[in-house]
Amino acid sequence: MPVSRTQPQRKAVTKAAAGRRPSTTARKAAVIALPVRALRGDDAYQAIRRRILDNVYPPGHQALESALAEDLGISRTPVREALIRLSNEGLVEVIPRHGMRVLPVSPLDMREIYEVLTALESAAAETLARRKPTDAELKPLVDATRDMGRALKANDLDAWAAADERFHQGLVELAGNRTLIDAVARLADRVHRARMFTLRLRPKPTTSTEEHTAMLDRIRAGDGRGAIEVNRAHRERAGRELLAIFERYRLHQL
Amino acid sequence: MPVSRTQPQRKAVTKAAAGRRPSTTARKAAVIALPVRALRGDDAYQAIRRRILDNVYPPGHQALESALAEDLGISRTPVREALIRLSNEGLVEVIPRHGMRVLPVSPLDMREIYEVLTALESAAAETLARRKPTDAELKPLVDATRDMGRALKANDLDAWAAADERFHQGLVELAGNRTLIDAVARLADRVHRARMFTLRLRPKPTTSTEEHTAMLDRIRAGDGRGAIEVNRAHRERAGRELLAIFERYRLHQL
DNA sequence: TCCCGAATCAACGTATACATTAACAAACAC
DNA sequence: GTGTTTGTTAATGTATACGTTGATTCGGGA
C-alpha cells in the first residue's frame, strides 16, 4: 500500500524489438527510433489502470489474461501481477475462468467511499489546522481553488474536475501523514471514475469553490473543529449530489 | 482491497503428492492421510503473512524469493504473487536484488496508523450510534468487553489482546460499510504486530475496558458525537501509551 | 594502503511449457 | 422433447527456462 515505497521507479527501458522473442545477443536498435515502447511489469499495471480510468475498458468490460497480454505485447506473467494489484484496489475483479472484469461503480460503493473519504479528509483538515501552516504551504490549495473558479467561468468542466482533485489531494498531502495519503490514494481511482461519469450530467458545481475557500479560512485560523465541519458538509453535499445523479441516470447498470 | 470479493474461497484441495512434480495421471491418495498440505497461490500469501504476524519472520528479516519458495515447497511464481500483496499491505518491502524484507514498525508509522484508525473508527462509531442498533447486534461488542475484563483478572494478556481486537473489529463491522472494513483491515496487521511487541512491556491495560463500556453506552444512547469523542480519547490514549513504550525500549530498531 | 575497474555470479523479471479443471456442447436415456 | 451425463476445449495456476542486470569481489595501479 505505501505506493511510493513499493514501486521503485523503473526507468523507461526501451527495447529494440518490442514484444519479440528475446534474441540471444542483444543488438543495438536501428537508427530509426523505437515505434512501440515495451511494456512490462509495473508498466502493465499502469497501462491497464489507465485504460480503465479513461473508460477504454468501461465498467463491466471483460478480458482474458491472454487477451490483455497480447494487447500489451507481453506475456501473461506481468499481466497477472498487474491484475493482482488492480483487484487489490477494487478496480477489477478476477473471475477464475473468465479473466478479469472491470468493476462497476455502484451507488452503494460510492456512498461507502464518500463516507470513508469524509472521515479521512476531515482528519487531514484538522491536523493541518492544528499545525498552522504557512501561506506558502497553502499556496497549492489556494491555487487549485482559484483554478476551479476560472475553469467554471470558462465552462471547462474537465479543468474544473482536475483542479478539484488537486485541492483534495493537496489537502491530504499537506497533513503529512503517509499512511493517510496512501489510504486516500487507494480510494481515489474509484472516485475519479464515478466523477467522470457524472461530470456532465450534473448542474454546474458552483458551491464547491466557496466551500473550499471556507475550509482554507478555517485552516488558516487554526480552527480544527471548524475545518472538520466545513469539510464534512462539503463532502456530504457533494456525495449526495453525486448519488442523486447516479440513481437518476441508473449509471450503476454500467 | 475488497478482500471478501477478490479472494474467492479456495476449497482446501488436498494433493496426494504434495509438492511433488504433478503426475500425468491423477492417482487416488494412499490410505494414509496427506502429511503436508500443498501450499499454493493464496496459500503462500497466508503462510508468509502468518509467519510475519507470529514473528517467525521478525521485522528486518530478509529472505530471497527462491528461499521462500523452497521453504514453502512451491515455485517462485506464487511466491511473487504473494509478495506483491504483502507489499501492498505494507508488511514487507521488495528490494530488487535482496529479496523481501519484513518492514519494521517504526514509531512514526504507529503514530500515523493510529491517527488514521481513530478517524475510521470514529466514523464507524458515529454511523452505528445513528443507526440505533439492537442489543442483539451489540452483543459481540458487549461480550468482547466482558472477556477483556475477565482476561485481565486472569492475567492472560494474550486473551485480553484478542478480545480487544475483537471489539474493534466488531465495531467497524457493525457499521456495515465494506469499504470502511477493508480500509481498517488493511491497517490491522501492522497494528497487531506493534501491539504484540509491546503487550508485555506496558502496565496492565485496565482503563481500556471502561472506555469500551463508555463507548457502548454512547452508541446505545444514539449519541454519535459522544461516541466519536469517547473513541477518539480512547485511541489517542492507547496510541500515546504504545508510542511511549516504543520509544522507551527503542523497539523501532527491530 | 587505498581506490578504481573489470569480471563473475546470482537474483530477478519475463517468457513459455504443462497439467488441472471448469465451462460448454453433444449425445444418450427416459 | 427434456434432463443428464460424458467428452472436449480452453483458460488458468504453477513450474521452469532463460536473458538481463546489479552486487560483489578480485586484481592492478596510484
Side-chain angles (χ1 to χ4, degrees):
Chain A
M1 178 252 269
V3 180
S4 49
R5 274 177 292 198
T6 56
Q7 305 194 35
Q9 291 306 339
R10 175 180 312 288
K11 46 180 177 271
V13 178
T14 52
K15 277 246 187 177
R20 225 57 90 259
R21 208 147 311 203
S23 57
T24 305
T25 62
R27 318 205 171 287
K28 61 174 65 173
V31 182
I32 303 184
L34 0 135
V36 186
R37 192 174 166 296
L39 298 173
R40 307 177 313 186
D42 313 82
D43 299 328
Y45 165 77
Q46 293 295 349
I48 298 175
R49 171 172 170 273
R50 187 113 301 281
R51 294 183 191 206
I52 294 171
L53 293 186
D54 293 349
N55 213 31
V56 178
Y57 295 159
H61 179 86
Q62 293 206 10
L64 296 174
E65 287 181 4
S66 31
L68 289 169
E70 195 167 359
D71 275 7
L72 301 176
I74 56 181
S75 78
R76 277 176 46 224
T77 307
V79 170
R80 296 196 99 235
E81 302 193 344
L83 289 183
I84 290 173
R85 288 167 59 184
L86 289 167
S87 68
N88 261 340
E89 284 168 33
L91 283 183
V92 310
E93 177 188 25
V94 175
I95 310 172
R97 292 277 153 176
H98 301 273
M100 69 148 214
R101 172 170 159 270
V102 178
L103 282 173
V105 201
S106 80
L108 174 62
D109 286 343
M110 285 315 302
R111 191 193 313 273
E112 288 187 357
I113 292 174
Y114 263 83
E115 203 174 311
V116 175
L117 271 185
T118 301
L120 294 175
E121 271 191 14
S122 295
E126 191 190 17
T127 300
L128 196 53
R130 273 205 193 142
R131 217 186 62 200
K132 296 252 195 176
T134 65
D135 281 348
E137 283 182 301
L138 287 180
K139 185 158 187 302
L141 303 191
V142 175
D143 289 353
T145 306
R146 182 203 56 204
D147 292 348
M148 284 170 67
R150 284 185 186 165
L152 219 51
K153 269 187 198 137
N155 232 347
D156 185 345
L157 284 175
D158 287 309
W160 176 84
D164 187 49
E165 280 187 20
R166 256 176 31 232
F167 179 90
H168 287 284
Q169 166 99 14
L171 174 67
V172 169
E173 277 175 3
L174 273 182
N177 180 329
R178 173 143 299 280
T179 304
L180 181 61
I181 294 170
D182 288 338
V184 170
R186 166 165 303 279
L187 301 174
D189 281 349
R190 290 203 278 167
V191 171
H192 174 87
R193 287 206 303 154
R195 300 184 70 201
M196 285 303 118
F197 285 124
T198 57
L199 190 56
R200 287 176 173 74
L201 299 175
R202 74 187 200 184
K204 268 199 173 187
T206 47
T207 55
S208 276
T209 316
E210 303 154 21
E211 286 169 345
H212 283 193
T213 306
M215 206 184 312
L216 284 176
D217 286 343
R218 297 294 169 191
I219 290 171
R220 277 204 202 86
D223 177 9
R225 193 60 56 107
I228 287 183
E229 285 313 318
V230 173
N231 181 59
R232 172 193 295 256
H234 172 52
R235 275 303 196 187
E236 281 181 354
R237 181 193 56 72
R240 258 198 316 277
E241 283 188 14
L242 195 68
L243 276 174
I245 308 287
F246 247 69
E247 273 149 11
R248 172 145 14 116
Y249 289 89
R250 307 201 185 288
L251 281 176
H252 48 290
Q253 293 176 357
L254 288 180
Chain B
M1 175 254 269
V3 180
S4 49
R5 275 176 291 196
T6 56
Q7 305 193 33
Q9 291 306 340
R10 176 178 312 287
K11 46 180 177 266
V13 178
T14 51
K15 277 249 187 173
R20 225 61 87 254
R21 206 146 312 201
S23 59
T24 305
T25 63
R27 317 205 170 288
K28 61 174 65 175
V31 183
I32 304 182
L34 359 138
V36 185
R37 193 170 164 299
L39 297 175
R40 308 177 312 185
D42 312 81
D43 299 328
Y45 165 77
Q46 293 295 347
I48 298 175
R49 172 172 169 273
R50 187 114 302 282
R51 292 183 194 206
I52 294 172
L53 293 186
D54 293 348
N55 214 32
V56 177
Y57 295 159
H61 179 85
Q62 293 206 12
L64 296 174
E65 286 180 5
S66 34
L68 289 170
E70 195 166 1
D71 275 6
L72 301 176
I74 58 180
S75 78
R76 276 175 49 222
T77 307
V79 170
R80 296 196 98 234
E81 302 194 344
L83 289 183
I84 290 173
R85 290 168 59 183
L86 289 167
S87 69
N88 261 339
E89 285 169 33
L91 282 183
V92 311
E93 177 188 24
V94 175
I95 310 173
R97 292 279 153 174
H98 301 275
M100 69 149 213
R101 172 169 159 271
V102 179
L103 283 173
V105 202
S106 81
L108 174 62
D109 286 342
M110 285 315 302
R111 191 192 314 272
E112 289 187 357
I113 291 174
Y114 263 83
E115 203 174 312
V116 174
L117 271 185
T118 302
L120 294 176
E121 273 191 12
S122 295
E126 191 191 15
T127 300
L128 196 53
R130 271 203 196 146
R131 217 187 61 200
K132 297 254 195 175
T134 65
D135 282 348
E137 282 182 303
L138 286 180
K139 188 161 186 301
L141 303 191
V142 175
D143 289 352
T145 307
R146 182 203 54 205
D147 293 347
M148 285 170 66
R150 284 184 186 165
L152 219 51
K153 270 188 197 138
N155 232 349
D156 185 346
L157 283 176
D158 288 309
W160 175 85
D164 187 49
E165 282 189 18
R166 256 177 30 234
F167 178 90
H168 287 284
Q169 167 99 15
L171 174 66
V172 170
E173 278 175 2
L174 273 182
N177 180 329
R178 171 144 300 282
T179 304
L180 181 61
I181 294 170
D182 288 339
V184 170
R186 165 165 303 278
L187 302 173
D189 281 350
R190 290 203 278 169
V191 171
H192 173 88
R193 289 205 302 155
R195 301 185 68 200
M196 286 303 116
F197 284 124
T198 55
L199 191 56
R200 287 177 173 72
L201 299 175
R202 74 187 201 184
K204 268 200 175 186
T206 47
T207 54
S208 276
T209 316
E210 303 154 22
E211 287 169 344
H212 284 192
T213 306
M215 206 184 312
L216 284 175
D217 286 343
R218 296 295 169 193
I219 289 171
R220 276 204 203 85
D223 177 9
R225 194 58 58 106
I228 288 182
E229 284 313 319
V230 173
N231 180 59
R232 171 192 295 256
H234 171 52
R235 276 301 194 186
E236 280 181 356
R237 182 193 55 73
R240 260 198 316 277
E241 283 188 19
L242 195 67
L243 275 174
I245 308 287
F246 247 69
E247 271 148 12
R248 171 144 16 113
Y249 290 88
R250 306 201 186 288
L251 281 177
H252 48 289
Q253 293 176 356
L254 288 180

